[in-house]
């Protein structure tokens, strides 16, 4: 899959986080309505650290969706929304009412159907929800959201949200945006830090494979694709990258 992309490399996660917050400010500035998809993991800490410092940031019109979610209670440390609820919401940047959440009290199939309905409500009339910005992570195996290598969900084209009951990474039950939705976004940003991601990033960004890893299948149809990496994550790349230092 050929896709225009920008690879930005930062000396540290702190500088990456600052630039990411500035990007969110730039993309949402002057907008009365802004739709954002977030992932979990280290992104929660990165945003919680820098968003409160972003001068002029106005999140009043934001609606925030989880790109994927584990089907566990919000109080569980594995809950992506639960982590934002605990770490970001108390800072006053976003309110709980701005988050569109998966209902963990439902079966995984019903949770996916309920989440689909919620997305349809914030994207009325759109065959495919078109997010203003999605922020994705990437696992050491090349998965993104809850789309795993070799899994049948990679072939789903008739759903905007899908359930998974056999996630290779625990917990097994999850709800995820599908590839067509991810690839309809206006901007997609991958965030990866640490040397543990170096080998898989080389595969994703430099090697053409007959069966591409899930993250390598992300290619916005009419939008832009950005990769935000720190230096340890980018150490094995020989393709052109943009070096950034913002502190």
């Amino acid at each position: 899959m050929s896709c225009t992309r920008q690879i930005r490399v930062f000396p540290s996660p702190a500088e990456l986080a600052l630039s990411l917050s500035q990007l969110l400010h730039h993309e949402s500035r002057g907008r009365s309505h802004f739709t954002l998809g977030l992932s979990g993991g280290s992104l929660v800490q990165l945003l919680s650290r820098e968003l409160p410092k972003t001068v002029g940031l106005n999140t009043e019109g934001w609606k925030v969706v989880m790109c994927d979610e584990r089907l566990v209670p919000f109080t569980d440390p594995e809950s992506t929304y639960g982590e934002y609820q605990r770490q970001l919401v108390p800072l006053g940047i976003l309110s709980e009412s701005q988050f569109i959440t998966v209902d963990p009290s439902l079966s995984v199939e019903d949770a996916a159907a309920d989440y689909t309905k919620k997305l349809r409500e914030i994207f009325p009339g759109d065959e495919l929800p078109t997010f203003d910005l999605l922020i994705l992570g990437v696992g050491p195996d090349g998965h993104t959201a809850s789309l795993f290598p070799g899994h049948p969900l990679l072939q789903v084209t008739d759903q905007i949200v899908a359930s998974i009951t056999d996630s290779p990474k625990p917990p097994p039950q999850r709800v995820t945006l599908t590839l067509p939705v991810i690839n309809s976004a206006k901007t997609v940003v991958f965030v990866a830090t640490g040397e543990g991601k170096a080998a898989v990033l080389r595969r994703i960004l430099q090697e053409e494979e007959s069966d591409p890893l899930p993250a390598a299948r992300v290619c916005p149809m009419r939008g832009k694709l950005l990769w935000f990496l720190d230096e340890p994550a980018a150490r094995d790349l020989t393709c052109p990258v943009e070096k950034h230092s913002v502190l």
Side-chain angles (χ1 to χ4, degrees):
M1 181 181 296
S2 176
C3 194
T4 302
R5 68 194 181 206
Q6 296 177 33
I7 305 171
R8 303 180 183 179
V9 179
F10 301 87
S12 69
E15 290 171 281
L16 185 158
L18 177 57
S19 187
L20 183 62
S21 295
Q22 291 172 344
L23 176 70
L24 280 166
H25 180 213
H26 178 268
E27 294 290 322
S28 63
R29 185 171 49 198
R31 303 281 299 275
S32 60
H33 182 67
F34 182 72
T35 51
L36 172 66
L38 296 179
S39 301
S42 61
L43 181 63
V44 184
Q45 290 79 26
L46 293 177
L47 292 178
S48 297
R49 169 180 171 156
E50 293 299 336
L51 274 182
K53 304 176 188 176
T54 307
V55 177
L57 181 67
N58 181 1
T59 64
E60 185 176 348
W62 290 21
K63 286 292 183 183
V64 184
V65 166
M66 300 296 100
C67 295
D68 69 321
E69 182 60 279
R70 293 106 168 192
L71 204 70
V72 295
F74 296 150
T75 54
D76 191 305
E78 292 283 354
S79 170
T80 297
Y81 168 66
E83 285 299 289
Y84 282 105
Q85 185 185 45
R86 287 182 284 275
Q87 298 189 45
L88 186 60
V89 170
L91 301 177
I93 302 299
L94 291 163
S95 66
E96 292 186 14
S97 64
Q98 291 177 274
F99 285 83
I100 311 302
T101 58
V102 171
D103 187 344
S105 70
L106 302 174
S107 70
V108 69
E109 294 83 4
D110 288 345
D114 177 68
Y115 208 47
T116 298
K117 180 181 177 183
K118 290 173 178 175
L119 291 190
R120 293 293 187 197
E121 290 172 353
I122 62 172
F123 293 98
D126 292 353
E127 181 180 355
L128 280 176
T130 301
F131 282 89
D132 292 307
L133 195 149
L134 294 178
I135 306 178
L136 297 172
V138 57
D141 61 352
H143 85 267
T144 190
S146 284
L147 302 171
F148 292 90
H151 198 280
L153 284 189
L154 293 173
Q155 310 306 323
V156 170
T157 59
D158 59 350
Q159 301 173 56
I160 63 172
V161 174
S163 61
I164 177 171
T165 59
D166 57 351
S167 166
K169 181 181 179 183
Q173 293 192 327
R174 299 164 175 242
V175 169
T176 184
L177 299 182
T178 59
L179 270 175
V181 173
I182 292 172
N183 283 331
S184 72
K186 295 176 183 177
T187 301
V188 176
V189 184
F190 275 100
V191 173
T193 60
E195 61 183 13
K197 301 292 177 67
V200 76
L201 288 174
R202 181 179 178 87
R203 286 183 63 187
I204 292 167
L205 296 172
Q206 292 190 193
E207 299 176 11
E208 297 208 4
E209 302 184 0
S210 58
D211 184 22
L213 293 172
R217 297 171 185 248
V218 173
C219 180
M221 294 178 291
R222 293 175 294 277
K224 55 188 177 184
L225 176 63
L226 307 175
W227 284 82
F228 278 32
L229 314 175
D230 69 353
E231 289 182 352
R235 70 177 186 183
D236 292 344
L237 298 180
T238 57
C239 58
V241 300
E242 300 176 8
K243 295 291 185 76
H244 288 255
S245 181
V246 294
L247 291 182

